[in-house]
Amino acid sequence: MRTRGGSVALALTIALTSVPALGQEAAPAPAAVAAQANPPAAASVEAGPRPRRRHAIGDSLEGFNRAMFSIHQTLDRLFFRPVAMAYKTVVPKVVRKGIRHFFSNIGEPLVFANDVLQLKPKRAVKTFGRFLINSTVGIGGVLDVAKTQDFRLPHHDNSFGDTLGRYGVGPGPYIFLPLVGPSTLRDLGAGIAEGQVIPLTIGTPFDRAEYRVSETVLTGLDLRVESDDALKALLGSAIDPYATLRSAYLQDRAFEIDELRHRTKRAVSPLDDPLTDPGGAAPAATSAPADDFPADPAPPVEPVPAPTPPAP
């Protein structure tokens, strides 16, 4: 990611060199003395405060993110999507599903650990049973036997980012990185830390570069293939694709964290509702910013009784 250290250091240097030495009074410039001696006839108008650059709530890195999104779109159009579509054409669907199930099964212990950390014993037991069944009967997870009618143990996503959100850690600023996609500071940091757990605790072969590169490439291509239609539907007609994707991601993450906090479950995910394109016409009412901590509803306004007319 890009850092602002250079620009901050430059600004600090300029500020320090423009401040007079401690204990010394800055001598007024000749031009300033002349201006004080001979004030202009017309009253000078003080310059107002310089307008600050505006960005969407929760997206303080919007300038950087938009630049990264543009790079991602170019890479996706020229390289990533064509390779993913070739992967879809060359590799049969049953083989792609087997690879997907294999890597998903390797991640089940992490799902189990987060179920335990979130104090959800029933889900943890189901996750453990799912991992045990697929690792044995499912030939190392290549076959997802656990989700069949015989066992009825479907996969559910869970991560360390969810655990942090469950215990009140806010999402932080929205972040978009090329070939990584949308995230937040909390989820990105949690994902990096979680990705080191299995290599460090188990070791070979999960700590070898060959395995990690293969996992990243194959899961990335499969995810791009599976999400192609959804991305077209979401971004195809959007006036501002970046803002539309950001809105969809943040709303979906807020929905998931709300469920983990035992809030009232909504009937559907926010992604199932039609989203107003942030680049289009402004909606009639301003919606609350997408965040893990939605604002409390405003208290009802008590009606003011009409004044009683005076008696004749």
Side-chain angles (χ1 to χ4, degrees):
M1 291 192 303
R2 185 178 65 178
T3 61
R4 299 177 56 194
S7 59
V8 171
L10 178 60
L12 182 61
T13 303
I14 295 175
L16 291 176
T17 54
S18 62
V19 175
L22 185 63
Q24 296 181 0
E25 236 180 80
V33 175
Q36 292 178 3
N38 301 300
S44 60
V45 179
E46 291 186 3
R50 299 179 64 181
R52 298 177 61 184
R53 181 179 180 181
R54 301 182 61 183
H55 54 75
I57 296 176
D59 190 6
S60 57
L61 304 174
E62 184 169 354
F64 168 79
N65 289 333
R66 284 187 177 273
M68 295 299 101
F69 180 76
S70 178
I71 294 174
H72 172 84
Q73 292 291 81
T74 301
L75 292 175
D76 184 71
R77 184 177 64 255
L78 298 180
F79 174 74
F80 194 37
R81 186 180 183 276
V83 174
M85 294 301 106
Y87 173 74
K88 178 182 178 180
T89 303
V90 173
V91 182
K93 185 174 182 179
V94 64
V95 177
R96 298 200 312 271
K97 289 181 65 175
I99 295 174
R100 184 190 316 149
H101 293 159
F102 173 76
F103 286 118
S104 176
N105 189 63
I106 291 176
E108 292 290 355
L110 297 176
V111 176
F112 169 80
N114 284 289
D115 289 339
V116 172
L117 291 174
Q118 294 165 16
L119 305 180
K120 296 184 178 294
K122 292 182 180 180
R123 290 179 62 176
V125 170
K126 291 180 180 180
T127 302
F128 180 78
R130 174 182 168 80
F131 176 71
L132 184 63
I133 292 169
N134 282 345
S135 298
T136 55
V137 183
I139 317 175
V142 174
L143 302 177
D144 193 354
V145 181
K147 74 174 183 180
T148 61
Q149 292 295 324
D150 295 333
F151 301 101
R152 298 182 181 181
L153 295 174
H155 170 78
H156 69 273
D157 291 327
N158 206 350
S159 67
F160 189 49
D162 294 325
T163 300
L164 293 177
R166 163 72 174 83
Y167 291 107
V169 178
Y174 176 77
I175 298 175
F176 190 98
L177 296 177
L179 303 183
V180 174
S183 186
T184 61
L185 181 61
R186 177 195 63 204
D187 293 340
L188 183 63
I192 293 174
E194 194 172 51
Q196 306 304 315
V197 173
I198 292 180
L200 292 178
T201 55
I202 299 180
T204 308
F206 303 107
D207 60 347
R208 297 184 63 86
E210 296 87 344
Y211 170 82
R212 305 190 76 169
V213 171
S214 300
E215 179 192 21
T216 302
V217 171
L218 292 175
T219 55
L221 290 175
D222 182 71
L223 179 61
R224 184 62 183 87
V225 169
E226 294 299 314
S227 62
D228 189 59
D229 292 338
L231 287 174
K232 286 180 180 178
L234 181 66
L235 307 179
S237 59
I239 297 176
D240 188 349
Y242 167 80
T244 300
L245 180 61
R246 177 188 62 200
S247 175
Y249 175 80
L250 292 179
Q251 287 185 61
D252 191 56
R253 286 299 289 143
F255 171 79
E256 293 170 351
I257 300 300
D258 282 347
E259 285 192 326
L260 288 174
R261 290 182 181 166
H262 307 288
R263 296 181 184 271
T264 302
K265 290 188 177 182
R266 287 171 258 184
V268 293
S269 165
L271 290 181
D272 296 332
D273 295 333
L275 293 172
T276 302
D277 182 6
T286 303
S287 59
D291 193 89
D292 285 353
F293 295 88
D296 293 329
V301 179
E302 296 292 337
V304 179
T308 306

